[in-house]
Amino acid sequence: MTRSMRMVVLVIGVAFVGTALVWAALYMPGFGGDWHPYRDHAAAAALAHATANVVSSVNFDQRALDTFGEESILLGAVVGVAVLLRPVEGERRRKPKNTGHVLDSTRLLVVLAAPVALILGIDVVAHGAITPGGGFQGGVILATGLHLLYVGGRYSAFDRLRPLGLFSQAESIGVIAFAAIAASGLAAGGAWLANFVQHGTLAQLASSGTVPLLSGAVGLAVTGSMVVLVAHFLEQRLLVWPPRSEESASAKGDEGEERI
Amino acid sequence: MSLLIMIALALVLVGAAITVFTTDPAKQAVVLSIYGFLLAVLFMVMQAPDVALSQIAIGAAVLPLIVVLTVRKVETVRAAKRKQKQ
């Protein structure tokens, strides 16, 4: 595509989106008004299923199908990254250098923050139905907390602390569990993703039926996908460039490198 | 519109401008992380804690990390190619 052709496509796109945005803005209700028909219906529906966090009720109960779609998108994105970031032919993996220097203050901060982040992540996943948060947020916090160990230490040590196969499985199990709960709704409640579990008391940990179960499944899937996703990017750092061609292969020493 | 929302909106606007006009991708990743945090503050002020949590986890940590790792990789490939030409 030539430069002028790209400009034509850009102008058409900007004109179309710009017109649509201005048109939408003209008919929007004023900022901070008190007319919120969607909120009124969503809040009532959430309370009917004893869900204190209306956002979680929308995500995992009223519009749970959308969340299932997003979950599949995340899985697809991770598969895409895995395919794109695979080692090309001749690329070798070098052993991680352990010469990097980590400040003592950084190490101290990591030692203090990593356990807090992990507990916070579990807490956010578990209380998704009651307080702000849920499977997605908690899952990302869990994955981030785990990578704090990488910031504060050596890659080789971090690599041992993080069994990648386990996280890869956690990702699949999370998605399968979501689908299984959805199918159970079909069996027990007569509809895909029906909230068939007893709703319990509002604002109790075990309230709002399937919401905490689906939130937990999403938490598992998101933790797994995030760890696998970042692992692919980290792994790329260890690949030696350029890929070895036939002639240069014999000329270069390959200490500390292993062929993939 | 309350004063708090106006301040948060202004900060997001300034942060977005700085992010866009930072040309070096490695520096941009750091600015992007700060911008992600400012966005989270805006969501919090607008009473959307769920969105703020997602934003802070993804926008302030994971996304800049992926950008930094990508920049490092591109730099090593470029350096190797320059060496090959010589």
Side-chain angles (χ1 to χ4, degrees):
Chain A
M1 201 183 256
T2 59
R3 194 179 165 78
S4 55
M5 189 64 198
R6 278 212 300 267
M7 282 309 279
V8 170
V9 174
L10 176 72
V11 167
I12 294 173
V14 167
F16 185 77
V17 175
T19 315
L21 280 178
V22 171
W23 191 24
L26 286 177
Y27 292 96
M28 252 167 54
F31 185 86
D34 48 12
W35 184 68
H36 295 292
Y38 188 79
R39 172 201 63 187
D40 296 340
H41 285 95
L47 285 179
H49 284 177
T51 313
N53 182 5
V54 178
V55 179
S56 276
S57 173
V58 171
N59 282 342
F60 299 115
D61 194 357
Q62 300 170 34
R63 301 295 316 158
L65 185 66
D66 298 13
T67 305
F68 188 51
E70 281 174 40
E71 206 61 10
S72 320
I73 291 172
L74 187 63
L75 190 71
V78 172
V79 172
V81 166
V83 171
L84 280 175
L85 295 188
R86 73 194 185 281
V88 296
E89 208 182 328
E91 248 183 337
R92 289 145 295 145
R93 186 184 195 277
R94 64 183 156 83
K95 288 222 177 79
K97 281 185 217 147
N98 282 334
T99 48
H101 180 65
V102 181
L103 289 174
D104 283 342
S105 53
T106 311
R107 214 172 284 226
L108 178 70
L109 267 179
V110 165
V111 167
L112 292 177
V116 175
L118 293 180
I119 292 171
L120 181 74
I122 295 170
D123 180 82
V124 168
V125 174
H127 292 84
I130 320 166
T131 51
F136 181 77
Q137 293 94 329
V140 180
I141 293 172
L142 277 172
T144 312
L146 193 71
H147 285 99
L148 277 178
L149 299 175
Y150 167 64
V151 174
R154 293 170 169 175
Y155 181 76
S156 50
F158 169 70
D159 211 19
R160 278 199 298 276
L161 276 173
R162 176 208 55 174
L164 207 51
L166 214 64
F167 284 98
S168 180
Q169 280 168 5
E171 181 189 10
S172 324
I173 291 170
V175 177
I176 292 168
F178 198 108
I181 296 166
S184 311
L186 198 60
W192 175 259
L193 280 164
N195 195 339
F196 63 95
V197 181
Q198 279 217 329
H199 297 149
T201 322
L202 184 77
Q204 293 287 309
L205 184 59
S207 67
S208 52
T210 51
V211 172
L213 301 177
L214 291 174
S215 172
V218 169
L220 206 59
V222 169
T223 311
S225 351
M226 284 298 152
V227 170
V228 172
L229 188 79
V230 175
H232 277 292
F233 280 90
L234 285 174
E235 200 58 30
Q236 274 290 316
R237 290 269 297 112
L238 291 178
L239 292 176
V240 177
W241 190 269
R244 192 200 310 238
S245 57
E246 294 306 317
E247 317 88 73
S248 64
S250 50
K252 272 184 195 162
D254 49 354
E255 269 173 279
E257 292 169 357
E258 45 186 283
R259 256 196 120 87
I260 296 181
Chain B
M1 209 189 303
S2 78
L3 186 68
L4 216 55
I5 294 179
M6 274 195 264
I7 294 172
L9 269 176
L11 283 176
V12 165
L13 194 66
V14 173
I18 295 175
T19 311
V20 169
F21 291 115
T22 307
T23 41
D24 179 16
K27 286 177 190 153
Q28 206 171 22
V30 180
V31 183
L32 181 70
S33 158
I34 298 166
Y35 172 63
F37 178 75
L38 289 176
L39 261 184
V41 171
L42 174 70
F43 293 145
M44 200 64 210
V45 170
M46 305 271 265
Q47 300 179 23
D50 285 83
V51 191
L53 257 176
S54 308
Q55 173 57 36
I56 218 157
I58 289 287
V62 177
L63 186 63
L65 175 67
I66 289 179
V67 172
V68 167
L69 288 171
T70 310
V71 167
R72 286 293 288 271
K73 176 73 184 179
V74 170
E75 272 170 6
T76 39
V77 171
R78 274 196 189 143
K81 280 192 175 159
R82 232 176 286 136
K83 219 173 166 185
Q84 260 180 350
K85 267 184 195 168
Q86 279 168 6

